[in-house]
Amino acid sequence: MPDRGGGPTGPRIRVGRPSRRARTLLMTLGVLAVLAMAFVMFAGFWTDWLWYRSVAYSSVFTTTLWTKIGLFLVFGLLMAIAIGVNVWLAHRLRPPLSAMSLEQQSLDRYRMSIAPYKKWVLLAVTALVGLIAGASASGQWRTWLMYVNGTSFGQKDPQFQLDVSFYAFDLPWYRFMLGFGFAATVLSLIAAALTHYLYGGLRITSPGARATGAATGHLSVLLGIFVSLKAVAYWLDRYGLAVKSSDFKATDNWTGLRYVDANAYLPAKTILFCIAAICAVLFFATLWRRTWQLPVIGFGLMVLSAILIGGLYPAIVQKFQVQPNEQAKEAPFIQKNINATRDAYGIDDAKVDDYEGQAATEDDGKLRAAANTAASYRIMDPNVVSPAFQQLQQRRNYYQFPKTLDVDRYKDEEGKEQDTIIGLRELNIQGLPKRNWINDHFTYTHGYGAIAASGTTTGTNPTGSPDFTESGLPSTGEFGKYEQRIYYGEKTEQYSIVGGPQKELDYEEDGEKTTSYKGDSGVSLSNSFNRATYAVAFSEPQIMYSGAIGDGSRILYNRTPKERVEAVAPWLTIDGDAYPAVVDGRIKWIVDAYTTTNGYPYASRTTLGDTTADSLTTNQRAVVAQQNQVNYIRNSVKATVDAYDGKVKLYEWDTEDPVLKTWRKAFPGTVEPRGDIPQELMDHLRYPQDLFKVQRELLTRYHVEDPAQFYSGSDAWQVPDDPTNKEPGSVPPYYLSMKMPGQDAQQFSLTTTFTPRGRPNLGAFMAVNADAASKDYGTMRLLRVTSTVKGPGQVQSELNGNDDVAEFVRNLKGTDSDIEYGNLLTVPLEGGFLYIEPVYTRGGNQNYPLLRKVAASYGSKIVFENNLKDALNAVFGVEDDGSTPPPDSEDPPPGETDEPPATGSAALKKAIADAQKAYSDGEKALQEQDWPAYGKAQEALQDALERAAAAQPKAGSEGDKADGAEKPEGDAKPEGDAKPEGDAKPDSSAEQASDQGS
């Protein structure tokens, strides 16, 4: 034995063990470290549970949690057992004596070194592999829940005649099980082979047999299981052909069988299944034959067959049968793909009509009259006017509006529905006068009020600004009284602690005040344990000991509408645009949500992140998607989030969607029936933009239903780039109240244009009824343009080159201002297309856009005027004589005609009555110093006086002789001498307003 001391020439050095105190200290520190890590992990779990309980969706948390735990335990245990049993069996089957060879002598050292710990080594290896396998399996909780709760689609695929649910719900689970089986078998084979080698069952360099009979039988069985699984894989691959993506020049992202799949790959997979099954039997037979000869031959035959039958034969069929006559061979399969894709994306009912698109040559007066009722031309672009909202209605630096506002419908004072631009005044934490923990999370906790403006008119203070119908802080207007505090919003991403000793900044009619949150949202921090868990979860120790937290304190987080809906329904894909609506005295965020799958047979796949991107989302991805690639989508759920208390409600929308039915079985009670949607909420629901973007992208090819034409691509379209945006990106869809050809009344619609692939002219126009309260909601109509018509890009180019525009731009340079183009609206009109585009200026004395001009184009004519009315008059070459209602007016009451009343008729009475009302409104606004309302009243007064002047009978006219002609009340004088009740003096009033306003 070697000398363990210091040697003959030096003293023996003894290394002492640590003292008991040191050992105790180290052990204590280790235990504390483990406990700290455990508490951190527990804090995340506990705070999640408290949050789900606070939003009344604890069943989602528990169902998801128990599903994950179950999968983790089952598959982790299965993997551990598979590895452990095979290692144990290999050890049990070891030969009693090792061969006397250098190889075995070197292995003896390893065997002796692990002999005392072999049980612990086995447990450690199996536990590690089991943990990894269990963690991987727990991620398949969606696949498992869809498998066990799968609902029939009621439709069968055209090849195998299996219900679509087999591909959407069953096949993904079978594939996971197969993959798990392969993993368990391969790992077991490796572990068993290593054990056999370590204990002499397998020999590499030793003389004699390379393997004992026991080792041969054991490994043969494992190889037989592997080959059996390969046979199952070949059989499932047959069905997988129906959902397989491949490259095909007829369309991108082709999914489903083609000719070569049905006539070469499908029989090849069947043959390979049989060969693999026979090969597996040969491996199992090794238990009796104890020889590798037949299994090796069978395995070689299987590999050769896979190369020849599975690879070479299909290539020969494709080269010599398909390519010489590809269109005819592929036609039946293209038809199946077209039918499945149109059904899977909900575009099978899209109606395509031919539309010449040429401007009408009829009397210009009729065209001008038709233009008045064709659409409610939205000259306020929600993508442009947000800075005007910010400048005119922000009121405090710590408030903000979204960059893109929303379009909705509200009723005006006369009860008529009008397109409205709306945005919420949300909290902007970056604009606080002083940043600290108390201000950020306790004092400034919420936004305040909704701001709305007419989409079809402009304001006068200043001219060209939004015509606000709801404004101020607190906001007042057409919405009436409602809860204006916004604790949950798109820009509210930080947590807030409310309801406790620390007061929050708030507002009332008399100015700033303080308040304390009265809602039941959030999680209570009244007890120390909750405070400790949130201090750990949020890495904020002050939560634990701050005096600003006490009885009644509640913490609010996960505050954006999309975050909340995605959390309570993790099986939904969320639309990129949540929009607010004032409903029943509350601000509600409306969130569209989708059910998706990528397992619809024959339906081509699309990438949501790509198809939902446009010029407004170039630098972001709008859709929050669990599955980015899908080939089936439905807007199956409409969700709401209360802006005050954060309450989330999910409403069933598509009552026939089998995917939604599946998830409702998995999470019962989370989705409320469609019949529970309140009517006031229904009036604000609309067709979602992201679904429309996906559908329009598919319709660029799948509007064609003839296989030959589809294959040739002769009628393929593309979504044009946005001509009003300098950055590249597809033109966004626009919400617009308009009439399609053949319709009697305007419908709130979502519209888009198409151009022929590779060409700039207009190829088609598409509109979908976006009014959820309409019986025709979701009805799609496409107008295929049959003649050469200018596309959006060409119209924009002509506008840029217009002399009036050039002069306008030159004049702007002297004022240090820039021009901004608004949405280029396209409206079908009398066989042609009318283009309307608002033009804004920004700079000089104002740093926000104001509407200065309106461009219009019809046929070959393009005009650039000061307002919409002048633009329509100019493009049709005729003055609007008032014989037709304005774009947003309703039909005349029963008994009245569309003809203009004779001079001296009831029209004069109405004009005088309107003038009196406008004057009264102006006086009231003047007293309240509400300048936007005052400017609106003065504009209405001026309009009423002009109408009174137009209706005044002229001497010797037919109106003087008409029977029943009446003398206007008060002897109205159109030259301005007319004096409504109260001796209205609009000029002096305007001067007074100007003086007071300044």
Side-chain angles (χ1 to χ4, degrees), residues 746-821:
Q746 294 179 14
Q747 295 178 336
F748 185 67
S749 305
L750 191 54
T751 66
T752 191
T753 53
F754 299 98
T755 57
R757 183 162 292 181
R759 295 169 57 197
N761 56 289
L762 190 63
F765 177 82
M766 175 183 174
V768 61
N769 187 324
D771 183 1
S774 169
K775 64 179 182 180
D776 295 325
Y777 171 83
T779 300
M780 289 182 180
R781 290 193 59 190
L782 289 98
L783 303 179
R784 180 194 286 113
V785 181
T786 59
S787 59
T788 302
V789 178
K790 291 181 294 186
Q794 293 173 312
V795 171
Q796 188 67 47
S797 295
E798 288 189 13
L799 175 63
N800 294 341
N802 183 273
D803 292 339
D804 293 337
V805 176
E807 182 180 358
F808 181 73
V809 173
R810 283 196 301 271
N811 293 335
L812 282 180
K813 291 181 178 179
T815 61
D816 194 25
S817 298
D818 294 323
I819 188 171
E820 291 188 26
Y821 292 106

Side-chain angles (χ1 to χ4, degrees), residues 518-534:
K518 300 298 190 298
D520 58 357
S521 182
V523 178
S524 173
L525 294 180
S526 297
N527 66 75
S528 300
F529 184 74
N530 284 359
R531 293 174 67 171
T533 55
Y534 277 100

Side-chain angles (χ1 to χ4, degrees), residues 563-585:
E563 275 182 324
R564 296 180 77 78
V565 174
E566 188 182 24
V568 303
W571 36 273
L572 290 174
T573 297
I574 311 302
D575 189 271
D577 182 30
Y579 58 98
V582 179
V583 177
D584 195 23

Side-chain angles (χ1 to χ4, degrees), residues 850-927:
L850 294 176
L851 182 67
R852 294 304 189 193
K853 295 284 186 177
V854 176
S857 174
Y858 187 74
S860 59
K861 192 171 184 180
I862 188 165
V863 298
F864 189 66
E865 300 294 336
N866 291 327
N867 53 57
L868 175 63
K869 181 179 179 181
D870 291 347
L872 292 176
N873 289 341
V875 79
F876 296 114
V878 63
E879 293 288 331
D880 182 19
D881 60 5
S883 62
T884 55
D888 58 350
S889 68
E890 296 179 336
D891 294 333
E896 295 188 19
T897 65
D898 291 335
E899 296 297 325
T903 55
S905 69
L908 186 55
K909 289 183 179 181
K910 186 176 187 306
I912 294 175
D914 290 345
Q916 293 171 341
K917 182 179 184 302
Y919 176 77
S920 299
D921 292 343
E923 287 294 296
K924 180 180 178 182
L926 196 59
Q927 293 174 1

Side-chain angles (χ1 to χ4, degrees), residues 618-669:
T618 303
N619 297 321
Q620 60 183 358
R621 281 294 174 260
V623 171
V624 180
Q626 287 83 28
Q627 299 176 356
N628 202 28
Q629 266 217 335
V630 304
N631 66 352
Y632 173 94
I633 186 169
R634 289 289 186 274
N635 178 211
S636 53
V637 171
K638 300 282 189 181
T640 63
V641 177
D642 193 293
Y644 180 73
D645 62 19
K647 187 175 183 180
V648 181
K649 283 194 173 183
L650 307 176
Y651 294 102
E652 175 190 33
W653 186 247
D654 190 332
T655 58
E656 302 299 324
D657 178 28
V659 182
L660 177 60
K661 292 178 180 179
T662 296
W663 287 119
R664 292 188 72 181
K665 287 167 63 178
F667 296 96

Side-chain angles (χ1 to χ4, degrees), residues 470-548:
E470 181 81 15
S471 59
L473 178 64
S475 63
T476 58
E478 65 179 16
F479 293 163
K481 289 188 176 182
Y482 63 98
E483 176 55 67
Q484 298 197 22
R485 297 171 183 86
I486 303 165
Y487 285 89
Y488 295 88
E490 289 183 300
K491 303 296 182 182
T492 314
E493 298 178 346
Q494 75 283 353
Y495 71 88
S496 289
I497 299 176
V498 298
Q502 183 70 36
K503 299 299 182 181
E504 311 161 44
L505 181 69
D506 200 54
Y507 291 90
E508 282 190 354
E509 295 180 2
D510 55 351
E512 290 187 9
K513 53 165 284 190
T514 59
T515 188
S516 187
Y517 183 66
K518 300 298 190 298
D520 58 357
S521 182
V523 178
S524 173
L525 294 180
S526 297
N527 66 75
S528 300
F529 184 74
N530 284 359
R531 293 174 67 171
T533 55
Y534 277 100
V536 171
F538 286 16
S539 300
E540 184 51 72
Q542 293 187 78
I543 295 177
M544 185 65 193
Y545 55 79
S546 174

